[in-house]
Amino acid sequence: MQITINIELMDGPSLQHQIFESIRRQILDGHLKTGSLLPSTRDLSQQLGVSRNTVTLAYNRLIVEDYIFTRKTVGTFVNEHLPESFPVPEETSSPDQATGELHSLRHPVLFKGKSQDVVNPNRRKLDIDFWVGRPDPHTFPTKAWRRILLKNLSIAGSSLTEYSNPVGILKLRQAIAEHLGPARGIKASANQIIIVNGIQEGLNLVSRLLIKEGTQVVTECPCYQGAAYTFESYGARINPVPVDNAGMDVEKLPLGQTSLAYVTPSHQYPMGGTLSLERRLRLLNWASATGAYIVEDDYDSDFRYNGSPLMAIAGQDRNDCVIYMGTFSKSIGAGLRLGYLVMPKDLVEPAKTVKTLMDNGHSYLDQAIIADFISSGFFAKHLRSIRHTYLIRRNTLVDSLQKHFGQISLSGLDGGMHIAWYLPKSFPAANEVQALAEGIGVGAYSMESAAACHLCYNECSDRIIVLGYSSLNEGQIREGIARLAGVLQLKIK
Amino acid sequence: MQITINIELMDGPSLQHQIFESIRRQILDGHLKTGSLLPSTRDLSQQLGVSRNTVTLAYNRLIVEDYIFTRKTVGTFVNEHLPESFPVPEETSSPDQATGELHSLRHPVLFKGKSQDVVNPNRRKLDIDFWVGRPDPHTFPTKAWRRILLKNLSIAGSSLTEYSNPVGILKLRQAIAEHLGPARGIKASANQIIIVNGIQEGLNLVSRLLIKEGTQVVTECPCYQGAAYTFESYGARINPVPVDNAGMDVEKLPLGQTSLAYVTPSHQYPMGGTLSLERRLRLLNWASATGAYIVEDDYDSDFRYNGSPLMAIAGQDRNDCVIYMGTFSKSIGAGLRLGYLVMPKDLVEPAKTVKTLMDNGHSYLDQAIIADFISSGFFAKHLRSIRHTYLIRRNTLVDSLQKHFGQISLSGLDGGMHIAWYLPKSFPAANEVQALAEGIGVGAYSMESAAACHLCYNECSDRIIVLGYSSLNEGQIREGIARLAGVLQLKIK
């Protein structure tokens, strides 16, 4: 029995490929049954108006891939060994029924959870965007980067083609260890350092080590969404501890068994407070008494404007209970995707295993460049330069706010790349302010939109506007706040 | 009361920093009690033989950081608000007791599991190493790479400093989608593609979506360790299905509810068989009947020596049940750390959430370079060139083995970067062959050492030697096999 094969030849793929693909699809769709006879190459070539050789080549490929076979002097057939019934494509059954059936049968998605937004979904609507955590693109050290990159590319050898140590290349881990002593007061060996894709991957690594369904975890409140959502996704019960201007209120830490307390002591996210020394030590005491680990997220500590940077809690830790997390996302750029953990000695081995299981390590070239960038002194110079730039921007932002709104209440001024503004009582709620600002092309954010979650609601929850200033120049900052003042004046009761 | 402060001034950090750090440590160690009086700056400067200004600067920093405070005309004191008892450093208690106590108190590591070895731990001992999965460093397209890299670096703008889409930049996802049609017969939109750090990260993403404690997972047997260990680490019960020369024996697939079946159909790892079309279709039928997903790990399908590459199972899937995994680790280099998943449409949204939670995405520059490398046609050209190189090496390896060992039984010849050699009965076991080879500077691997695990033991388990040939030139291959023949001749019964 001869079967009509309808092939519409199109531009694009080769004729041979189109014939191959069309017959293959018809076999998979069940339109060409197993064992059925195909037209001869001569007939098909005439039918399609293509050379016989083209059809022969398509048939040969179908034979190689076992879709069809040839019986000498008899003809070419669809392979008889293929299963007689194929999975029914959804479009051939009645759609509703098919979908219903398939979905009830299909193994369910077991993951339940949410994720943070690191890219502003509305960025294209805005002229002036106070979105948080964006280094200024003009500060990227392109020239030094290019030079170090070309050098490393030319000497890379097998480092580009082969796997390297999943926890990071040694020269980067050494450079970080040496940087952390003077910069953050942390004494760590390269062996304790694990290179990660960024703090977000670090949070997953820590979660895999320490969290199972029902494990208690302490977070700040409000807290960075990326952390809270990650812990929750591994089954953690979150116990939020409120923060004030001096960071987490450690008197309110729970007494029960806790796996870890996640803190942002240099510049609390999003409120911006610095955890006081007294509280740091009490937090260490608490960790020692309860057996909890402290997870110190030091995301933007490179920028300290008043006084020298406070030493990290990891540098005050005498009991090997602090997991320190650092990143190059704020100090160089988030497009690099590199950060690091400093693990307590007892956790180094299991952390290496988890990291290897997670992803076999990071881009060799990026690691080598950052290592050289630190070791050569460029990194320290780069930090001094952008610290100066960001300080001027912070001052411009504070001045502009004061000029337009008079006496205002701000927090987070001592460092970092953003501040939190407590809205006066006469102002609308934060999400309304955000919407008004968006209407005039200005991005200004409620806590929720700024990737913070407020687990223990209080009267401040909808009274905070978060303003990132690092990627806006002074003119943009002044213009943005002026526009905001213009639209808010109409709304202030 | 005057307290003696012992400071040994060393080379290195500034004097001011040394004084600051020493007093800080003594406070944290409890040697300087809260509320106690410190020497005056004049006394300490005389005692240490340094300028008074240096001591004053160190004291100022201690004041800024809240360790000490000054009462006018009275003196300088350790802060009274610090907690009176600090966590006891381990070295001050009796070590055993302290360690014992601390360990029993400390929150336990909840992660239990193993990880795969992607870097050969013994590589430095070997002259000629048949370690699997290493592209030849000489094939890395350095010249084209440098040009594309410099172009992308110069136009990167804010892409280096800001976060981009966690699932990958659009131009890379589009380039991959366009590549997969002709190369692997997969019709996918850019929206279904998720860029990952490599297949290992992809396995974690899939596990987080589909596996919980007790979930049944099917793997091949033997199976790639990285996959089996990852599934196990999320609590999967693994149901291994044996493979033969035509890949997984699909007749032995289990009937019970299964979340996913993990397969390497192009070139089974480590045995090298190609899953036959008949089995592919039966596997799809099974997935449709049980509701399981098929996870298709297509790690080295770019290298096919006999006939054209078989289309991927994902290209035969009519029911949206195949999760396809590809990587640039074999085709360009493992030092890049980039791969991708093609998700069934129903899993796209949850997969995006999981990916974002896992790590906020990948290095911008690496993604942009690979996208241009594919779009410009360099990738296809590069593949043709190395395919030719690897084919010659495969032939040399087979010839050398035949020359020295006569009639031999090999599998995995049709493609990839390694073959499996079934040792003749008269030969010692695989781990003994590996040890003998190592003794003469040659790396030749038992399944276990080649990152494969044999979950259902059979008589073959210790009779297979895995030989990767892609990174050795013909002379090295001949020399390696000659050495192996020399040492084995003495041992053959």
Side-chain angles (χ1 to χ4, degrees), chain B residues 252-263:
Chain B
K252 297 191 174 131
L253 282 163
L255 292 174
Q257 221 207 337
T258 303
S259 59
L260 63 93
Y262 168 81
V263 289

Side-chain angles (χ1 to χ4, degrees), chain A residues 25 29 61 67 85 87-88 107 110 160 197 204 208-210 233 285 291 308 316 318 335 357 359 364, chain B residues 25 29 61 67 85 87 106-107 110 160 197 204 208-209 233 285 291 308 316 318-319 335 357 359 364:
Chain A
R25 288 273 159 207
D29 288 350
R61 184 154 175 212
Y67 286 93
S85 74
V88 184
H107 179 78
L110 298 173
L160 291 170
N197 169 295
N204 279 270
R208 294 217 64 191
L209 279 176
L210 300 175
S233 78
N285 274 355
S308 53
Q316 292 152 345
R318 318 298 282 159
L357 211 51
D359 65 18
Y364 169 77
Chain B
R25 288 273 159 208
D29 288 349
R61 183 156 175 209
Y67 285 94
S85 73
R106 191 62 56 82
H107 179 77
L110 299 174
L160 292 170
N197 170 295
N204 279 270
R208 295 218 62 192
L209 278 177
S233 78
N285 274 354
S308 53
Q316 292 153 344
R318 316 299 281 157
N319 270 329
L357 212 52
D359 66 17
Y364 169 78

Side-chain angles (χ1 to χ4, degrees), chain B residues 245-450:
Chain B
N245 285 335
M248 178 188 268
D249 183 354
V250 295
E251 299 297 323
K252 297 191 174 131
L253 282 163
L255 292 174
Q257 221 207 337
T258 303
S259 59
L260 63 93
Y262 168 81
V263 289
T264 50
S266 289
H267 196 234
Q268 201 276 331
Y269 196 84
M271 298 306 292
T274 301
L275 195 65
S276 68
L277 178 64
E278 181 191 342
R279 286 189 177 179
R280 286 168 191 239
L281 298 176
R282 289 196 194 279
L283 178 63
L284 281 163
N285 274 354
W286 168 85
S288 182
T290 60
Y293 287 94
I294 296 169
V295 177
E296 178 174 25
D297 178 348
D298 215 22
Y299 65 105
D300 69 358
S301 66
D302 298 304
F303 310 114
R304 188 83 196 166
Y305 310 121
N306 302 336
S308 53
L310 282 181
M311 293 301 186
I313 299 181
Q316 292 153 344
D317 173 24
R318 316 299 281 157
N319 270 329
D320 216 24
C321 70
V322 178
I323 299 169
Y324 178 88
M325 300 186 162
T327 180
F328 299 104
S329 292
K330 312 296 183 246
S331 53
I332 309 179
L336 304 177
R337 312 304 315 121
L338 278 177
Y340 53 90
L341 307 184
V342 184
M343 299 304 290
K345 292 187 191 75
D346 282 354
L347 292 184
V348 168
E349 286 311 315
K352 285 180 175 176
T353 303
V354 169
K355 172 60 187 165
T356 305
L357 212 52
M358 281 169 78
D359 66 17
N360 283 329
H362 299 285
S363 168
Y364 169 78
L365 218 44
D366 288 346
Q367 292 187 73
I369 297 165
I370 296 188
D372 287 356
F373 192 67
I374 298 172
S375 309
S376 62
F378 271 116
F379 184 53
K381 200 177 137 200
H382 171 71
L383 285 180
R384 279 195 299 276
S385 151
I386 49 177
R387 201 179 286 136
H388 180 71
T389 305
Y390 293 173
L391 171 61
I392 293 170
R393 291 174 182 183
R394 183 207 66 169
N395 291 344
T396 304
L397 176 58
V398 174
D399 290 348
S400 299
L401 286 166
Q402 284 172 340
K403 179 182 153 198
H404 291 285
F405 299 104
Q407 272 295 90
I408 47 170
S409 174
L410 300 174
S411 73
L413 296 173
D414 289 348
M417 304 157 85
H418 76 273
I419 58 172
W421 174 26
Y422 293 78
L423 294 173
K425 284 207 174 114
S426 58
F427 280 47
N431 52 8
E432 200 179 328
V433 171
Q434 179 179 334
L436 289 166
E438 195 182 305
I440 49 160
V442 175
Y445 299 95
S446 71
M447 282 207 281
E448 207 184 341
S449 297

Side-chain angles (χ1 to χ4, degrees), chain A residues 345-366:
Chain A
K345 293 186 191 74
D346 282 354
L347 292 185
V348 167
E349 286 311 316
K352 285 179 175 176
T353 303
V354 169
K355 172 61 187 164
T356 305
L357 211 51
M358 282 170 76
D359 65 18
N360 282 330
H362 299 284
S363 168
Y364 169 77
L365 217 45
D366 288 345

